[in-house]
Amino acid sequence: MGKLRAALHYGADAVYLGLTGFSLRAKAGNFTLDTLRDAITLVHEANKRAYVTINIFPHNTDIAPIEGHITALNDLHPDAVIVSDIGVFDMIKTFAPEIPIHVSTQANITNYRSARMWERLGAKRLVLSRELTIDEIRRIRDAVSIELECFVHGSICLSYSGRCYLSSFLANRGANKGLCTNSCRWSYQLVEEKRPGESMPVYEDNRGAYILSPRDLCMVEHLDKLAGAGVDSFKIEGRTKGINYVSGVTKIYRDAIDALAAAPLNSAWLKELEMFSNRGFTTGMYFGRHPDSDYSYDETHAPATYAIAGVVKGVTGSTATVLLKGNLAVGDEVAFLSTAAHNGSYIINELRDAEGQISGIAHNEDIVFMEVPEGVKKNDIIRRRV
């Protein structure tokens, strides 16, 4: 729920979320049916949209539970359901016919004939495969009249999205059931058949080799090209990321989208995105074949330069009430991520508790009072340089 609130606060038009049993992010800290109801209500109160994911590839034993889940969604009124399996698509048409259907990127829509077929079946939106070029997207746009969505930021799967058995093979956890171990991100060494036990490095640094790990997708500098190709919705991947990532990345893409018709490219966007944990950036296959240089051969990720330190619960004058999400001390360098204004970093000079006592350090889940720059408001996050 914290990530949901952060996404809405920083400008998301819609969120996608789901239950553990039917989502391809089974370990993402998902919702129960009761909290899903609360989440959808919160989204609708903010005049935004909530899309529920039922995008696993189900087996026979999954059908009855999914049928019950779909029936329950009738009372929750999500704005759409995201599916990848045609049987689940048919079940929604049968048991929840009023709920619009979005076809997941897991369905791997890579051509206009496939897009036309889903349109004829009654899909409202297609979340296109990550393996398409911008020219291919334009060709699909010419062939259909329904909404098109594509990913613009976040992790990229080594395989065609979701069609991977590496996690199942190495860890007995199926990616297509929401249990991917990200085995492609692990460090690997090469062993020659006739020399067992003698491992050899492959593009190795002091942490190992990461020959299967693509860099993260980042299209913030090219949103105009995607919009020009007819894309209706830009999607950010990151359900297993923290609030700091959700807040910052959402805000940057909100700013970039809002500037599409009014201003030239802002070079600061890419620099700001580099503040959050990443594996380096790539434009994926949007401009053609994924370059060999866009794999993280020599490092797993670039660590975040700022970590979340707290959430603003209210502002009176120049004083903010902050719920800490980590330790914070006098002398720390912090920055507020504000939707109202861009505020640079500054040094904390004092922290006060509820009794007005001044402390040199405060701890996770403490409530503190501190002076803040103009423009900071409720639900903004405070970040500490790490």
Side-chain angles (χ1 to χ4, degrees), residues 90-246:
D90 181 63
M91 290 165 69
I92 295 169
K93 286 289 189 182
T94 302
F95 300 108
E98 300 302 315
I99 300 178
I101 303 175
H102 295 180
V103 181
S104 171
T105 190
Q106 311 301 136
N108 302 132
I109 299 170
T110 56
N111 63 81
Y112 67 89
R113 291 301 295 258
S114 178
R116 282 177 177 170
M117 183 276 293
W118 286 113
E119 182 177 32
R120 287 197 301 272
L121 289 177
K124 180 180 180 181
R125 177 181 298 183
L126 308 178
V127 188
L128 298 176
S129 173
R130 290 179 175 94
E131 292 75 29
L132 290 173
T133 66
I134 291 176
D135 287 341
E136 288 176 313
I137 292 173
R138 186 177 291 108
R139 179 67 182 88
I140 291 174
R141 173 75 287 164
D142 291 341
V144 298
S145 59
I146 59 176
E147 298 172 0
L148 300 181
E149 180 172 289
C150 68
F151 280 89
V152 295
H153 197 89
S155 300
I156 299 177
C157 187
L158 174 74
S159 303
Y160 269 73
S161 299
R163 307 281 178 164
C164 177
Y165 292 93
L166 189 61
S167 178
S168 294
F169 180 75
L170 294 178
N172 198 32
R173 284 175 48 183
N176 302 320
K177 300 284 283 185
L179 297 172
C180 182
T181 60
N182 288 315
S183 306
C184 57
R185 312 292 184 187
W186 297 354
S187 171
Y188 290 92
Q189 292 184 319
L190 181 67
V191 176
E192 200 273 325
E193 179 183 9
K194 296 182 180 180
R195 286 182 281 183
E198 296 183 28
S199 60
M200 294 171 283
V202 184
Y203 293 98
E204 186 180 42
D205 67 359
N206 60 358
R207 290 174 302 202
Y210 303 90
I211 58 175
L212 304 178
S213 180
R215 297 184 185 274
D216 291 344
L217 181 65
C218 178
M219 288 293 287
V220 72
E221 297 180 297
H222 306 288
L223 298 182
D224 58 333
K225 301 177 183 64
L226 291 170
V231 174
D232 299 287
S233 175
F234 299 138
K235 190 168 190 173
I236 296 171
E237 186 278 333
R239 274 189 287 165
T240 58
K241 302 287 190 179
I243 291 178
N244 186 42
Y245 178 97
V246 172

Side-chain angles (χ1 to χ4, degrees), residues 73 88 106 146 205 218 222 248 262 284 315 324 328 331 340-341 345 353 370:
L73 289 180
V88 175
Q106 311 301 136
I146 59 176
D205 67 359
C218 178
H222 306 288
V315 180
L324 294 188
L328 196 63
S345 61
D353 62 19
M370 56 193 300

